[in-house]
Amino acid sequence: MVFLCGIAFSIHSQMETKEYSAIKECEQGKEQIVIKSTPEKALVYINNEYQGKTPLVIENLSPNYYNVSLRKKNYSDAVAVVEVRPGYVVEYFFELKEKDTAAQKND
């Protein structure tokens, strides 16, 4: 984990997706999950419930662990477990990997 200007930043490798996270302090009761992706407009699901498209700010989540998944046509799905902690904003950045559409057509 690397600390930049008071922000904790970690890099993870998940199957075919690159995921980056940053944690910032905030007032208790103002916790958020901020989800961004490359490419944008990926569908975002929290615990299998559709929330919207990236970039997306999700507020009013109780401190807990949440399953976050991103889906976009012609890209591999991205999945992460996010912990909402009292007094923090968690930002996730996903680089979605394009599926090999030529291989799919030959199947």
Side-chain angles (χ1 to χ4, degrees), residues 1-11 21-23:
M1 187 166 296
V2 179
F3 290 90
L4 302 170
C5 301
I7 299 172
F9 193 83
S10 58
I11 299 174
S21 62
I23 302 171

Side-chain angles (χ1 to χ4, degrees), residues 42-53:
L43 305 178
V44 178
Y45 295 82
I46 302 288
N47 292 344
N48 295 319
E49 291 186 26
Y50 177 72
Q51 300 294 314
K53 295 181 181 179

Side-chain angles (χ1 to χ4, degrees), residues 57-87:
V57 176
I58 303 170
E59 301 174 327
N60 301 318
L61 291 173
S62 301
N64 205 343
Y65 289 93
Y66 294 89
N67 294 312
V68 176
S69 57
L70 278 72
R71 299 178 190 147
K72 187 165 179 75
K73 186 176 181 178
N74 298 324
Y75 288 84
S76 296
D77 291 353
V79 178
V81 176
V82 176
E83 180 183 11
V84 175
R85 294 189 292 164

